[in-house]
Amino acid sequence: MSTATGYNFAYLDEQSKRMIRRAILKGVAIPGYQVPFGGREMPLPHGWGTGGMQVTASVIGETDKLKVIDQGADDTTNAVSIRRFFAHTAGVETTEQTADATLIQTRHRIPERPLQADQILIYQVPIPEPLRFIEPRESETRKMHALSEYGAMQVKLYEDVARFGHIATSYDYPVMVNNRYMMDPSPIPKFDNPKMSMMPALQLFGAGFEKRIYAVPPFTQVESLDFDDHPFEVQSWDEACAICGSDHSFLDEVITDDNGSKMFVCSDTDYCRERVEQGFVGTAADLPIADLSIAEVETN
Amino acid sequence: MNTAVGLLTSTSEWQDIAPLLSVRELNKFYAPGKGCGDINFDLYPGEVLGIVGESGSGKSTLLSCLSARLTPDSGNVIYNSEQFGEMDLYDCEESMRRVLMRSEWGIVHQHARDGLRMNVSAGANIGERLMAVGERHYGQIRTKAEEWLTAVEIDTGRIDDRPSQFSGGMQQRLQIARNLVTHPKLIFMDEPTGGLDVSVQAKLLDLLRNLVSRLGLSVIIVTHDLAVARLLAHRLMVMRRGEVVETGLTDQVLDDPQHPYTQLLVSSILQN
C-alpha cells in the first residue's frame, strides 16, 4: 500500500505521539482515570473520531493490522474514511476481520468475537465525564473522582427507575473500573458492558473534543452500576439475526421498505459474515435480500 | 447524647455536655470592615443559635466559615463529630469536611435552587444524600423519600415532579427534607424564610420548629428578621460591621437590649 508523501508516519509528528503515549501510559497505570492531553488538530472535525484517531496514530506500528468499525460495521462512512486515512498515512495493512486485526478502532460497539491479549481496542469518546449529567463544573467532578464521591451518579439511575420502572439507560452506561474510578464507557450499548470486564485486550479511550485519554488495562474488573433491587441487565431480543440466525449478538433493526417491513440483523457485520461462512442461516435466507450485504439493503 | 438534651433543665447538667461546635478567635475579612472578626462562641447539642444583624454585617460570611465552605483568615472551628471525634474544620482533610456536609450536617440555602438539583425529581433530590452515603436499594430510597415528603407536608403524589414545578414554599420545604434525610446533627440555615410571603413563612417556621424539637437538632440560623429569630432561636448573636455586639438568650436580647445597636434594631420593628 502506498504511503502519502509529505506526512510523518501515521500523520502525527513524533513529539505529539510521544506526548499522547505518555498520557496513555498514565491512563493504563490508573485504570479509568481521565488523563488530559494536548489534543492535536486532525484533518477532520471533532466529533468524528479525532480522539480515537490520535490514540491509534500514537500506538500504530508498521506491522500492525488495522480494523475500524462504526456501530459494528466496517463499511460505514466513518469507518471507511478512518481506515483509508491510516492506510494512506501509515501504509499499514487493514482488515475487516476481527480475528486478524491487531488494532481495532471503534465507535459505539465492541466486536462480538472475544478479543485476545495481542489486540488493542481503541474507543472514540464524545463525552468522557460520566458525572457531567449531574455536575456541570469540571473542578467539582475532578474532586468527586479524587474522593470517590460517586453517590450522585446513582441519581441518574434513580430518575430512570422513577420514570420508566426500570433502568432505561441503554448506552453510555456508567461503570466502575477496578473498584476505584467511575468511567464513561463511550456510547457503546450496555449489551457490551460485560465484555469490558476482564478483557484480555488493552482498551484505550480517546476523547478528541474534550482532550482526555483513559484506559482499561487487560484483565481489569469493570462493573456496571445498579441498584440492589434493580440489577444491571443487558438488552435482549425476541428475534434472531435474519442473515445468520444468531440469537446472542447485538441486533440492529433495519427498515427494508416504505411499508414498515423490517428485519433484525447483527450490528457486527464481520461476526455475521463469519457465521454465514460457517453455514448458519437466518430467516431471510429464502428472501432475495439474503445475498445482499447490509450496506446494500434499500433503506429509503 | 442528643435525645437526652430535651430532658436537661438545670444549668449544671448543661455544663457536663461537650459543645457540638466551638468557635475561637475566628476572623475572615475581605477588606477592613467587610467580613467578620473576633468571633467566639460554643454551640451545645440541641441548641438553636440565631445570628441577626443588618445586611452586610457579616452574618453569611460567618455562616460560610462555620459550615466549612469558606476558609477563615485565622481562628479555629472545632466540631465534635460522631464519626471523626473532635476535629478542627480547617485543619483536616477536605474529604472529611465533605463527608460531614453530606452526613452529619445540613445546609439550607436562602434560595432553594442553590440547594436543590432543579433538573431531577423531588424523590431524587431527597434520595441523593442517601445514595451519597451508600444506600443502593431503590425501594428503600423511595420509601424514605415519601416519608420525608410527608414530614414536610408535601403531597407524596408529587414525588416524581421536578422542583421547578414547585412553589417557592414547597421548594424550601423540599430543601429541608433533602437535608434531614440522613439525620444530621447540625443544620446551617441562611435566611430560610427569605422571599416567601407571610403566611407561607409562618407555615415554614411552624414546620421548622416542630422538626427541630422533635429531632433534637442543633441549628445555626442566620436571619435579619427578628420575628423569625424570636420564634426559632434559643440564643441570639447580634452582629454589626463584622463584629458581635451582643449575645444572650433570645428573650433577654430582644426584650432588654443592652447595646445601642441592638436597641435600634429592636425598636425598628413595627409595633401595633
Side-chain angles (χ1 to χ4, degrees):
Chain A
M1 216 167 282
S2 68
T3 313
T5 51
Y7 288 103
N8 189 32
F9 177 77
Y11 186 77
L12 281 181
D13 62 280
E14 293 303 315
Q15 281 303 314
S16 299
K17 286 189 200 172
R18 185 175 159 175
M19 171 269 296
I20 292 169
R21 284 180 201 134
R22 279 182 169 165
I24 293 172
L25 284 175
K26 185 169 179 183
V28 170
I30 318 172
Y33 172 75
Q34 300 167 47
V35 186
F37 76 107
R40 295 291 185 252
E41 289 294 326
M42 295 303 273
L44 76 169
H46 291 302
W48 288 67
T50 53
M53 283 173 76
Q54 290 176 71
V55 172
T56 302
S58 306
V59 298
I60 201 166
E62 279 164 359
T63 55
D64 271 316
K65 238 184 185 188
L66 179 70
K67 172 184 163 85
V68 184
I69 53 174
D70 174 4
Q71 302 270 16
D74 293 273
D75 45 16
T76 46
T77 319
N78 199 227
V80 170
S81 53
I82 292 174
R83 190 166 55 230
R84 209 167 48 191
F85 176 83
F86 284 111
H88 266 293
T89 57
V92 293
E93 226 181 307
T94 60
T95 179
E96 296 196 356
Q97 300 190 14
T98 307
D100 291 349
T102 56
L103 282 183
I104 303 172
Q105 183 174 333
T106 178
R107 170 179 178 266
H108 293 195
R109 274 314 306 279
I110 296 175
E112 304 288 358
R113 169 189 266 275
L115 299 180
Q116 305 304 317
D118 55 355
Q119 296 179 305
I120 301 179
L121 185 60
I122 297 160
Y123 298 75
Q124 301 169 198
V125 183
I127 301 168
E129 180 52 76
L131 299 165
R132 189 62 74 228
F133 158 84
I134 202 80
E135 180 52 64
R137 287 169 295 175
E138 175 72 14
S139 58
E140 184 67 15
T141 53
R142 285 200 195 187
K143 210 168 269 179
M144 290 163 86
H145 281 296
L147 301 174
S148 275
E149 288 181 3
Y150 293 137
M153 197 64 216
Q154 219 75 19
V155 171
K156 185 180 156 94
L157 302 185
Y158 173 94
E159 283 290 277
D160 265 6
V161 183
R163 239 186 281 172
F164 305 106
H166 62 277
I167 299 177
T169 303
S170 59
Y171 66 98
D172 230 344
Y173 195 103
V175 293
M176 278 296 281
V177 179
N178 202 23
N179 287 318
R180 175 60 183 86
Y181 280 98
M182 174 93 55
M183 189 184 85
D184 184 308
S186 86
I188 59 171
K190 64 178 170 185
F191 181 88
D192 286 341
N193 273 17
K195 294 181 194 164
M196 303 180 88
S197 191
M198 304 310 275
M199 185 191 276
L202 171 64
Q203 303 173 70
L204 302 175
F205 299 77
F209 202 85
E210 306 253 344
K211 299 184 173 59
R212 294 286 185 279
I213 285 173
Y214 50 101
V216 176
F219 301 106
T220 302
Q221 200 177 14
V222 178
E223 267 176 288
S224 305
L225 298 192
D226 59 3
F227 284 113
D228 295 345
D229 48 347
H230 289 271
F232 174 77
E233 277 173 356
V234 298
Q235 296 100 324
S236 61
W237 290 262
D238 297 332
E239 295 81 1
C241 171
I243 295 173
C244 76
S246 165
D247 57 0
H248 55 266
S249 53
F250 189 84
L251 301 182
D252 282 338
E253 187 177 345
V254 180
I255 309 292
T256 51
D257 59 25
D258 284 348
N259 303 321
S261 307
K262 61 186 181 186
M263 62 180 198
F264 287 85
V265 294
C266 291
S267 113
D268 186 341
T269 51
D270 178 60
Y271 184 73
C272 199
R273 179 197 55 76
E274 213 170 50
R275 276 177 57 90
V276 169
E277 277 174 11
Q278 286 164 6
F280 290 101
V281 282
T283 51
D286 308 332
L287 303 172
I289 218 164
D291 57 347
L292 299 175
S293 80
I294 291 164
E296 286 158 343
V297 170
E298 287 288 341
T299 52
N300 52 352
Chain B
M1 188 156 67
N2 258 350
T3 47
V5 167
L7 308 172
L8 295 174
T9 44
S10 74
T11 340
S12 61
E13 280 178 273
W14 273 100
Q15 286 166 344
D16 295 339
I17 292 177
L20 193 62
L21 194 74
S22 300
V23 182
R24 294 289 174 267
E25 302 293 332
L26 188 78
N27 284 288
K28 172 70 198 178
F29 283 105
Y30 306 104
K34 298 257 181 288
C36 61
D38 197 20
I39 310 287
N40 291 284
F41 71 88
D42 289 325
L43 180 81
Y44 286 88
E47 193 180 22
V48 179
L49 174 70
I51 303 176
V52 297
E54 61 193 4
S55 296
S57 59
K59 309 186 296 281
S60 295
T61 300
L62 174 57
L63 194 75
S64 295
C65 287
L66 298 180
S67 56
R69 289 175 295 167
L70 183 67
T71 311
D73 298 336
S74 63
N76 305 94
V77 182
I78 315 286
Y79 174 68
N80 199 343
S81 164
E82 243 183 6
Q83 304 162 68
F84 306 117
E86 202 167 275
M87 58 189 278
D88 187 334
L89 287 186
Y90 294 98
D91 191 27
C92 69
E93 296 284 328
E94 186 184 8
S95 59
M96 290 162 85
R97 291 201 286 269
R98 291 173 66 107
V99 167
L100 284 185
M101 278 193 212
R102 60 175 187 264
S103 54
E104 293 182 35
W105 290 0
I107 298 174
V108 177
H109 296 260
Q110 176 175 7
H111 302 290
R113 48 184 64 235
D114 294 340
L116 292 173
R117 290 197 191 278
M118 299 304 281
N119 57 348
V120 299
S121 67
N125 265 291
I126 299 179
E128 184 183 342
R129 275 172 76 117
L130 289 172
M131 294 184 254
V133 295
E135 177 66 76
R136 290 289 180 270
H137 191 281
Y138 174 81
Q140 285 167 12
I141 294 168
R142 186 94 175 157
T143 315
K144 284 243 179 77
E146 281 172 352
E147 280 171 22
W148 276 101
L149 282 178
T150 314
V152 296
E153 297 166 16
I154 295 176
D155 180 11
T156 50
R158 303 292 303 269
I159 188 167
D160 291 330
D161 290 347
R162 294 177 179 209
S164 50
Q165 292 163 291
F166 286 8
S167 70
M170 281 167 79
Q171 287 181 2
Q172 207 55 277
R173 276 178 279 150
L174 180 63
Q175 203 194 166
I176 290 162
R178 172 184 156 91
N179 274 295
L180 293 183
V181 66
T182 49
H183 300 290
K185 299 263 157 295
L186 177 57
I187 310 278
F188 299 96
M189 293 186 191
D190 193 355
E191 305 272 8
T193 58
L196 302 176
D197 73 51
V198 182
S199 62
V200 176
Q201 269 191 30
K203 213 174 158 199
L204 187 74
L205 288 172
D206 196 37
L207 177 81
L208 276 177
R209 202 161 54 156
N210 280 331
L211 287 174
V212 165
S213 64
R214 186 153 57 88
L215 304 172
L217 297 172
S218 303
V219 180
I220 298 182
I221 181 168
V222 159
T223 181
H224 62 257
D225 187 339
L226 292 184
V228 171
R230 190 189 279 276
L231 210 57
L232 286 179
H234 301 147
R235 211 148 54 91
L236 274 190
M237 256 168 59
V238 184
M239 287 186 72
R240 188 198 187 197
R241 292 185 192 153
E243 284 178 353
V244 176
V245 294
E246 188 165 352
T247 57
L249 298 176
T250 303
D251 291 344
Q252 180 192 329
V253 171
L254 293 182
D255 296 339
D256 183 19
Q258 299 297 310
H259 191 274
Y261 175 70
T262 318
Q263 291 168 356
L264 182 80
L265 203 66
V266 171
S267 66
S268 66
I269 299 175
L270 291 175
Q271 310 278 342
N272 45 359

